[in-house]
Amino acid sequence: MKKTFSIGGVHPNDSKISSGCRIEVLPVPGTVYVSMLQHLGAMANPVVAVGDKVKVGQVIGEPSGFISAFVHSPVSGTVKSIGPRKDLAGWNITHVEIEVEGDEWAEGIDLSDTLVTEIPQDTKAILDKIKLNGVVGLGGATFPAHVKLCPPPGKKAECLILNGAECEPYLTSDNRIMIERSKEIVVGAAIMKYVLGGCPAVIGIEENKPEAIAAMKAAVAELQANAKGYDGISVMVLKKKYPQGGEKQLIDAVMHRQVKSMGLPIDVGAVVQNVATSLAVYEAVQKNKPLITNTLTVTGDCLPMERQHNYLFRIGTPLSFIIDQMGGIPEAAVKVVSGGPMMGKAIVNLDATTVKGSSSLLFLTAAQTVRKEQGNCIRCGKCAEACPMGLEPFLLNKLAKNRMMDELEENAVHDCIECGCCLYTCPANIPLLDVIRIAKGDVIKIIRGRQAAARAAAEAAKAAEAAKAAEPAKVAEPAKK
Amino acid sequence: MNKLLISPSPHIHTRTSTASLMRDVVIALLPTVIVSILFHGWSEIIVLGVSILSCVLLEYLITRFLLKKPSTICDWSAVVTGVLLALNLPATSPLWMVIIGAIVAIGVAKMTFGGLGQNLFNPALVGRVFLLISFPVAMTNWAPVKGFIPGVDASTGSTLLGMVKEGGIEALEGTSYLNLLFLNIGGSAGELSAIAILAGFIYLLARKVIRPHITLSIWLTVFVFSGIMWLIDPSQYTDPVFNLLTGGLLLGSVFMATDYVTSPMSAKGGIIFGVGIGLITMLIRYFGAYPEGMSFAILIMNATVPLINKFCKSKKFGR
Amino acid sequence: MTQTIIWTIAIITLLGVLLAVVLYLVAKKFKVEEDPRIEEVEKVLPGANCGGCGHAGCHAFATSCVGASSLDNNFCPVGGNETMKKVAAVLGMEVKEKAPMVAVVRCNGTCENRPRTNEYGGYASCRVKSALYCGDTGCLYGCLGCGDCVAACAFGAISMDPATGLPVVDEEKCTACGACVKACPKGVIELRNKGPRGMRVYVQCINKEKGGVARKACKVACIGCGKCAKVCAHDAITIANNLAYIDFTKCKLCRKCVAECPTGALVAVNFPVPKAKPAAPVAPAAAKVEKPAGAVSVKEAPAALASEKKTVETKEEQK
């Protein structure tokens, strides 16, 4: 019996049309626009000036906080401008515009194809390389990778989970890299496993990717036979079910442990990294190559087979350039999505640029994506059945519309992972997630506010006690809940 | 393509819709409908036709002219109510009675609460119970009607449960389980054939329209409860298999207790709901004044659904 | 027979008396002591429970008034000065008069002025839309047109004009409770001085982008050119972030700025018609919007104003 997560989930048609398309290297465009906000956290500060000559792999943005990341130039050329440019949702973000001249790489980057299997033994050096090369989680959240690989004191990683589930329909980039770059991914996994203190590593792959499963198993076996430091790495085949690739769901499927509400994976001893992140870690640590390329799927039911692609692109390539390369937007498409159809973002601005986390350009037709008219809730409970977090979307929807914040919190709206199962499954086409997402934000704000107030109160109490001198301290009771 | 379409995720939707679910229920009811037409003939066709027509028409008129909202007849829910109401009536029902039933079902039980999804009680059952209490004679008139299959015209004047209520368990001499399974002579259209209803049940499960919790828990409760009573005194209490196969139990447990709107949301709630229905049904059958208690049991448990929903929450992840 | 009736009457009477005693005792035991003035204050309040005063409802407001030492921090925007005078009379306190305010829509991005660049297909709510992306026009700051303000208004004072896609404030009904200001995720609506006979001058735009960008997105955008600030003799206009804002406490309604504005983002409303000549370039746009009013005094509805007080969140802040 193949494993999967225990609550809810849906089975949309997986539509992995482009899974057989080999990764092609996308040409470098004439101009790239590198966003300074390609990761979760604080925006990076540009460290180049207009007119500067940059090389491929040169740092052009530095992190501006603990949770932030380095940004590197994906091309060599001249910085044309630094300023606001609209991202794919239409918001202004600082971008560095670089006009491409040649392809000159910065020093110290190993451009050869040789597989380096020997794992360096200096944890600090490895982490520094991951950080300096701007590696972020490529599973969607783009959380800086080095932060996740340093468990907070007192917590120990018991299992490294490599996320190869790729449960979103249509997406095939992870599938392709698992087939074509399997050994590199396994080396990356071994490096991360070493950093985490040698815990076992499990590569979780959904059953609908047999080729990737075979390739990864072969790579693990080969490396285990020929090199040191690869013990304890295994491939686990998972049942096909969305959202298996959700961090909490994957941990549940692989380790049978459930991360508590508002908790982190490390609380149950898990660290989850995407297979693409593992590849980036390999390149960063073994080749000293910064994260300046990623794989992107171009797909959609309205595209003929020969126009389905998996591209290796330079980060900063404008979407419009990719669309030109693949031959324009198909007639039938009404929506272009960056990411999968369940959690991806609809693109409003096709001139926007690709970022580290770009994983696909998905073209959807009107029949697939236009929402049907909303009907009455028939209380079928299908949303609650589908919710992988065990929530009751029908109830949350009602509470959110009446702005009942206490009840929303009681019913754990803040646990929502925005996977979209409820809206996907609702036979009455009620925009459950649209409403719940907003309520979730509000409730999290309330919870954070309360926590901050409690902290402040505790600190004030502490200060007062300190002032009272050596009298036995009475621990300030943090505000309830 | 001129303007990009933007909306929040998810960008795709399952093909299942309210209308497709309701249509599946109608399809699942077809075997039962066909059997009843075969055995009750033209009179059944007329009852069915009038019931469906008046339900759909009423829903249309009320939504259009009273509520001034877009009409909801395209979602098939009125058709389901119409078919279920007809299957709950004797084939001999006078047409005015069918129409009154439809008015109560759609007008009172459904639309006064705000239409589909808002009603507390199952509309078809409210219609049936209203008729049963208002016109007890017409509602229990199981007089023989001419069916399309010669030779097996329904010939008894009473249902088996009615016979037990009046004449005690001895009245059952000579009925076999096989008979009950295939053709349960006497009773309303929906009580005719257990096999036809089971076929519908399997279809609903296969199409994932309903979950089995409610139905199975009703069956199990009825079986266990009547089994205990039967073991205590087989001369006074009917046996479990008989209880499962007679009366409206199958039709009610498969099609009416599982009605989305009036049943609990969670699986756990569904089991409590089912056990309640099973117990109340058997209590009425064994000790009540009516020979059959399924309708009352479902309606009584319908009233507890909000409470069940409040206390039977699904298990949350990581809690 | 007679005896039965007598017994019935006796028992029921006895029961009634008994229950009355129980009720009395319970009421006595659980009586909530409350300052009687709270009830008196509540009586003179409008009772809309709109929350415009910042309290949870009229009762909470009354409690707050009774508990406060002065009425300076408590003001009922719905009842206005008259109600506050009554409250003051009840409590024997002084109250300062406040100038009447009105909600003003600071965006004139009609379908014509601000062409749509994409199509929004999600749930029709401004909050959902603004959380998702920049909106279906080139303007990142203006009205999203989904009507969250309409839903928030407890007095039915805001409606969407289908022709412009913008909300229209009915000045007669608007109580300046501020619910719409809170509901608007873009901060388009501002509470402004109602002005003598409703006459107001304000900037009908809150776009903070550079002039060229703003103008490209919307024909009537404020481009922050500063001409209005130069011409203003009362120091009422400030320019910040490419946007002009008129301080209504300083504005003397001279309307020199209106004539100066090159894009027509600056508007004057409710001024007598013959004298409106300097405002000519604005008139067409404004006139279109005001259509629904058309009463004796020229009512101009949607109004928009730029303010730094209610800063619109920029993209960076949202991230």
Side-chain angles (χ1 to χ4, degrees), chain B residues 81-114:
Chain B
T81 305
V83 176
L84 282 176
L85 180 67
L87 291 182
N88 270 298
L89 301 178
T92 53
S93 308
L95 296 185
W96 55 264
M97 200 175 86
V98 178
I99 294 172
I100 289 177
I103 292 174
V104 173
I106 296 288
V108 178
K110 189 174 173 190
M111 298 323 268
T112 43
F113 288 87

Side-chain angles (χ1 to χ4, degrees), chain A residues 151-359:
Chain A
K155 304 240 165 87
K156 198 181 166 323
E158 291 166 46
C159 184
L160 167 71
I161 301 174
L162 237 54
N163 187 350
E166 202 166 49
C167 58
E168 278 263 18
Y170 294 98
L171 305 195
T172 57
S173 54
D174 285 355
N175 177 39
R176 282 322 297 181
I177 60 165
M178 282 193 282
I179 295 169
E180 297 179 31
R181 312 287 302 270
S182 27
K183 280 179 202 151
E184 286 94 328
I185 292 172
V186 177
V187 178
I191 295 169
M192 289 192 279
K193 168 171 123 64
Y194 175 74
V195 170
L196 289 171
C199 60
V202 177
I203 306 167
I205 309 174
E206 276 194 359
E207 59 193 338
N208 60 350
K209 290 177 270 292
E211 235 185 305
I213 293 167
M216 292 304 288
K217 275 187 176 161
V220 170
E222 197 188 319
L223 283 163
Q224 275 174 346
N226 299 329
K228 257 196 251 168
Y230 292 86
D231 300 329
I233 300 180
S234 59
V235 173
M236 184 186 278
V237 182
L238 303 166
K239 230 180 184 167
K240 192 194 117 191
K241 186 156 89 170
Y242 179 85
Q244 189 109 258
E247 202 167 50
K248 290 179 175 175
Q249 276 63 39
L250 193 64
I251 294 169
D252 185 20
V254 172
M255 297 171 74
H256 299 292
R257 292 183 190 174
Q258 298 193 340
V259 181
K260 292 267 174 304
S261 171
M262 302 292 274
L264 292 171
I266 193 70
D267 297 342
V268 294
V271 173
V272 182
Q273 294 283 9
N274 192 270
V275 285
T277 318
S278 186
L279 180 59
V281 164
Y282 165 81
E283 293 196 322
V285 176
Q286 307 291 62
K287 301 276 186 179
N288 201 24
K289 188 179 156 201
L291 179 56
I292 52 163
T293 57
N294 193 7
T295 323
L296 173 136
T297 307
V298 174
T299 186
D301 287 322
C302 48
L303 286 171
M305 202 54 219
E306 67 273 12
R307 289 181 66 191
Q308 309 271 345
H309 297 284
N310 288 299
Y311 282 131
L312 184 74
F313 68 99
R314 298 276 176 107
I315 286 155
T317 305
L319 296 175
S320 48
F321 179 80
I322 299 175
I323 291 171
D324 285 344
Q325 288 292 313
M326 49 78 62
I329 298 172
E331 270 297 302
V334 297
K335 192 191 259 176
V336 189
V337 177
S338 167
M342 296 297 284
M343 287 186 80
K345 285 195 101 176
I347 300 171
V348 60
N349 171 26
L350 290 173
D351 291 327
T353 184
T354 47
V355 289
K356 288 175 182 172
S358 296
S359 60

Side-chain angles (χ1 to χ4, degrees), chain C residues 2-318:
Chain C
T2 347
Q3 207 169 8
T4 321
I5 294 173
I6 291 169
W7 270 113
T8 314
I9 293 172
I11 288 172
I12 288 178
T13 318
L14 201 72
L15 210 65
V17 171
L18 250 168
L19 290 174
V21 171
V22 171
L23 275 179
Y24 172 76
L25 290 175
V26 170
K28 189 117 190 169
K29 181 144 196 239
F30 292 100
K31 195 176 176 192
V32 182
E33 287 298 334
E34 200 184 57
D35 194 327
R37 288 182 301 167
I38 293 178
E39 203 182 325
E40 275 178 66
V41 172
E42 212 182 332
K43 262 184 207 156
V44 300
L45 293 176
N49 290 319
C50 65
C53 50
H55 295 281
C58 291
H59 185 81
F61 179 72
T63 316
S64 161
C65 286
V66 171
S69 54
S70 85
L71 288 176
D72 292 352
N73 292 326
N74 282 320
F75 186 78
C76 171
V78 178
N81 290 323
E82 295 216 346
T83 300
M84 288 316 291
K85 265 185 219 153
K86 283 188 209 155
V87 173
V90 171
L91 299 174
M93 290 189 206
E94 288 285 305
V95 65
K96 281 183 211 142
E97 282 232 352
K98 274 198 184 168
M101 309 278 275
V102 69
V104 164
V105 181
R106 299 177 296 166
C107 177
N108 192 19
T110 60
C111 307
E112 214 172 283
N113 290 334
R114 189 175 55 150
R116 301 299 184 252
T117 52
N118 60 70
E119 200 182 316
Y120 178 66
Y123 178 52
S125 148
C126 304
R127 284 201 72 197
V128 172
K129 196 170 170 181
S130 86
L132 178 68
Y133 75 126
C134 64
D136 52 5
T137 66
C139 175
L140 307 189
Y141 297 87
C143 175
L144 292 168
C146 290
D148 279 13
C149 49
V150 177
C153 186
F155 306 95
I158 309 187
S159 57
M160 291 305 285
D161 183 343
T164 58
L166 295 172
V168 176
V169 179
D170 183 334
E171 289 181 22
E172 300 288 296
K173 287 188 189 161
C174 177
T175 59
C177 69
C180 51
V181 177
K182 272 183 225 146
C184 180
K186 292 284 190 184
V188 169
I189 304 179
E190 187 195 17
L191 291 184
R192 285 184 74 90
N193 216 331
K194 205 165 183 175
R197 287 185 304 278
M199 292 190 290
R200 294 187 297 277
V201 179
Y202 59 91
V203 184
Q204 208 170 20
C205 181
I206 53 165
N207 193 324
K208 287 186 197 149
E209 284 193 278
K210 283 192 185 125
V213 182
R215 191 67 196 271
K216 202 180 150 200
C218 178
K219 270 188 251 171
V220 291
C222 171
I223 53 174
C225 62
K227 279 184 181 169
C228 48
K230 262 178 224 151
V231 84
C232 183
H234 313 287
D235 208 16
I237 304 182
T238 45
I239 308 275
N241 296 326
N242 308 312
L243 182 63
Y245 175 72
I246 303 179
D247 184 344
F248 54 80
T249 56
K250 291 181 185 163
C251 177
K252 298 279 187 284
L253 303 176
C254 69
R255 283 178 287 157
K256 272 188 197 147
C257 49
V258 178
E260 207 62 38
C261 183
T263 60
L266 238 158
V267 295
V269 296
N270 294 345
F271 284 88
V273 181
K275 279 190 184 173
K277 209 184 164 193
V282 191
K288 225 172 256 158
V289 185
E290 70 178 330
K291 262 177 204 161
V296 189
S297 66
V298 183
K299 232 181 273 166
E300 197 121 325
L305 231 312
S307 103
E308 293 321 304
K309 289 180 203 159
K310 276 139 200 159
T311 317
V312 182
E313 274 180 288
T314 60
K315 166 64 182 167
E316 283 78 10
E317 283 161 356
Q318 286 181 347

